[in-house]
Amino acid sequence: AYARGRLGLMTPDSYLHQVLVHGQTVTLEGDAAARISARLRPGPALEVLAALDPASAVIVPLPGHDRTIGALSVYNGPSR
């Protein structure tokens, strides 16, 4: 639900948008839920993110031939 809903809630300063546009990895080593939430518009993905409550995250670009074609997001909970 989070992955499906987040694309429509991205803002230009969202971490995923930055990765897709600039092709550089983003690493959030602490308080990932709050940091990501601050850069999303309200909606279902924001609610799912709050429930998941990740402590850390990394968003990695998936390069194509001449552009970034997607991204892989990996999250860890507070117990990891």
Side-chain angles (χ1 to χ4, degrees):
Y2 173 70
R4 285 190 307 267
R6 71 183 175 173
L7 291 178
L9 303 178
M10 282 194 314
T11 62
D13 67 334
S14 71
Y15 295 110
L16 178 59
H17 186 265
Q18 290 178 11
V19 169
L20 293 173
V21 170
H22 300 293
Q24 296 179 341
T25 298
V26 170
T27 303
L28 305 171
E29 295 185 8
D31 205 17
R35 293 169 68 186
I36 294 168
S37 295
R39 295 176 180 227
L40 288 178
R41 293 183 184 102
L46 193 57
E47 296 166 11
V48 173
L49 180 66
L52 293 173
D53 193 27
S56 61
V58 63
I59 307 167
V60 180
L62 300 175
H65 181 68
D66 59 351
R67 63 185 175 91
T68 300
I69 60 170
L72 173 68
S73 303
V74 180
Y75 303 92
N76 273 329
S79 64
R80 303 267 335 221

